[in-house]
Amino acid sequence: MTLIAAGTVVTAEGVHRPGWVETAPAGLSAQPTAGRIVAVGSGTPPRRPDHDFADAIVVPGFVDIHVHGGGGASYTDGVADEIVRAARFHREHGTTTTLASLVTASPTDLRTEVAALTDATRAGVVAGIHLEGPWLSSARCGAHDASQLRNPDPAEIDSLLGAADGAIRMVTLAPELPGSSDAIERLVAAGVVVAVGHTDASYDQARAAIDLGATVGTHVFNAMRPLHHRDPGPALALLEDPRVTVELIADGVHVHDALLRHVVATTGPGRVALITDAMAAAGLPDGSFRLGTLDVDVADHVARVRGQSTIAGSTASMDRIFRAAVADAGDNGALAAAVAMTATTPARTLGLDEVGRLAPGLAADLVVLDGDLQVTAVMATGEWVVFEDDKKFARTPDN
């Protein structure tokens, strides 16, 4: 067993100053507690701790439900080594649970990518697959290959679901497309979370999609019909419905800080999932990259489709997103809200019941943050993550 004490520990019960967490290593495979949290508590730990982070904050491992790559590697290429490398980059930044997002591609390429990520899901590298496309609006396609966009087709949906064998956990689609209603019902029946995004839907069309079972708004405000006083569009429908979790990219680029604060204040952190929407450029210097079939240039840590003003995902990691969500590390409410939006809410949204909280019986996934909320250590399923080099990772400036 490993006993961890810290100046601050954010558990399922609240913020403890000080607090402690006891975990069991994954190597104890014969034990039912292997790789899990054994106990949590407030105040003085029950025995001398194995690790004492007196000036640090311990939070649950981050859960990122929308990410395309990082550290120079991409989930969209269908290459096993690249998938591992991208997941490892984000794990070093505290993301212990990753939903790998694919972008719009041809039917053949999409099946190849799904097959590779299905293998990675079975191996525990990622927690599943998010199909962001190809059933998106051409008017709001953002950094997706418009030539490969198509309407939802029952045969293609069934083929992908069959190939993934349960690995597809979320699908983003535009509900105004012909065939979308049948697609939503088909996906929900298969246990897939349906998200509304990259859409030019009206308010009523978005409401209809929610009534059919859509429960997530993909990076709300981005790549969707904007809010208008006579045509409120999909954003208002997603924000006002308590059945919906709204994704927000809190990188200081995609959504203004004031709007982020307003959404959190009005919907509550229990309905907000902060995401990175990171691409391969995350963690690397400015330069040229690819997102699916599109060329992307990164300048001042902002990714854009080459020759366009269209933003192409982000270069953020979840620790940076967490810092953006916390106004004051000494404020218990701010810490609890940030933990909810970067771990608890996204995990619950996808039905990932064993992650997202520090509580007995759940996976021993946690992040140790210093006073500046920089990652100093990460534990995944009861084992400390070994960073690739002494520098741990290349930090990029917060926006």
Side-chain angles (χ1 to χ4, degrees):
M1 302 294 180
T2 300
L3 184 60
I4 301 162
T8 302
V9 177
V10 186
T11 74
E13 288 74 36
V15 179
H16 306 288
R17 300 180 186 269
W20 53 272
V21 182
E22 187 171 29
T23 66
L28 299 176
S29 56
Q31 301 295 324
T33 57
R36 296 185 178 275
I37 297 169
V38 177
V40 298
S42 183
T44 304
R47 59 179 172 83
R48 182 175 180 179
D50 299 291
H51 302 277
D52 191 354
F53 302 106
D55 299 320
I57 301 168
V58 173
V59 300
F62 303 134
V63 179
D64 193 353
I65 63 173
H66 190 150
V67 53
H68 300 281
S74 175
Y75 295 126
T76 65
D77 296 332
V79 179
D81 289 347
E82 293 289 288
I83 295 168
V84 170
R85 190 153 63 97
R88 185 173 58 212
F89 165 80
H90 285 290
R91 182 162 291 195
E92 291 183 358
H93 286 265
T95 298
T96 51
T97 301
T98 295
L99 193 65
S101 300
L102 293 175
V103 294
T104 297
S106 69
T108 300
D109 287 345
L110 194 57
R111 277 186 62 90
T112 299
E113 294 160 5
V114 164
L117 282 171
T118 296
D119 290 341
T121 301
R122 290 172 179 155
V125 177
V126 296
I129 303 168
H130 166 213
L131 296 182
E132 189 183 17
W135 309 305
L136 310 176
S137 164
S138 59
R140 306 289 177 184
C141 64
H144 286 256
D145 185 347
S147 69
Q148 295 296 340
L149 295 175
R150 46 197 182 270
N151 295 331
D153 174 69
E156 182 176 28
I157 292 172
D158 290 346
S159 174
L160 290 170
L161 291 176
D165 191 26
I168 295 175
R169 301 196 71 106
M170 184 164 73
V171 170
T172 294
L173 55 74
E176 71 274 20
L177 297 179
S180 64
S181 295
D182 176 73
I184 293 171
E185 293 179 325
R186 188 176 296 264
L187 291 164
V188 170
V192 176
V193 173
V194 175
V196 172
H198 285 276
T199 175
D200 200 38
S202 67
Y203 172 85
D204 290 336
Q205 288 171 323
R207 288 286 309 161
I210 296 167
D211 288 337
L212 287 171
T215 55
V216 172
T218 294
H219 45 53
V220 172
F221 303 114
N222 300 121
M224 61 176 55
R225 182 188 292 199
L227 193 67
H228 185 275
H229 58 286
R230 285 190 296 272
D231 180 16
L236 182 61
L238 295 164
L239 288 166
E240 71 179 2
D241 197 303
R243 296 172 290 181
V244 176
T245 298
V246 292
E247 291 182 351
L248 292 173
I249 310 171
D251 64 346
V253 176
H254 284 79
V255 178
H256 193 284
D257 290 346
L259 186 56
L260 172 66
R261 291 192 300 270
H262 176 75
V263 171
V264 174
T266 54
T267 65
R271 285 190 52 216
V272 175
L274 298 182
I275 60 169
T276 62
D277 196 16
M279 59 167 294
L284 297 183
D286 291 352
S288 298
F289 301 87
R290 287 183 70 80
L291 179 60
T293 61
L294 301 182
D295 292 317
V296 174
D297 292 321
V298 178
D300 296 326
H301 303 292
V302 179
R304 300 184 188 277
V305 177
R306 181 166 298 168
Q308 302 180 24
S309 61
T310 302
I311 300 175
S314 87
T315 62
S317 51
M318 282 298 283
D319 56 330
R320 172 174 156 191
I321 298 294
F322 184 87
R323 288 191 292 274
V326 181
D328 180 0
D331 183 331
N332 286 358
L335 274 177
V339 165
M341 294 184 291
T342 58
T344 311
T345 299
R348 188 195 67 248
T349 298
L350 289 187
L352 300 171
D353 299 329
E354 297 190 346
V355 298
R357 297 176 294 137
L358 297 182
L362 302 192
D365 295 347
L366 57 84
V367 185
V368 182
L369 304 164
D370 65 17
D372 295 323
L373 301 180
Q374 301 285 345
V375 174
T376 60
V378 178
M379 176 179 281
T381 58
E383 304 290 344
W384 293 109
V385 173
V386 178
F387 293 95
E388 283 194 287
D389 53 48
D390 291 339
K391 293 181 180 179
K392 295 184 180 177
F393 48 76
R395 291 175 177 155
T396 55
D398 290 349
N399 288 299

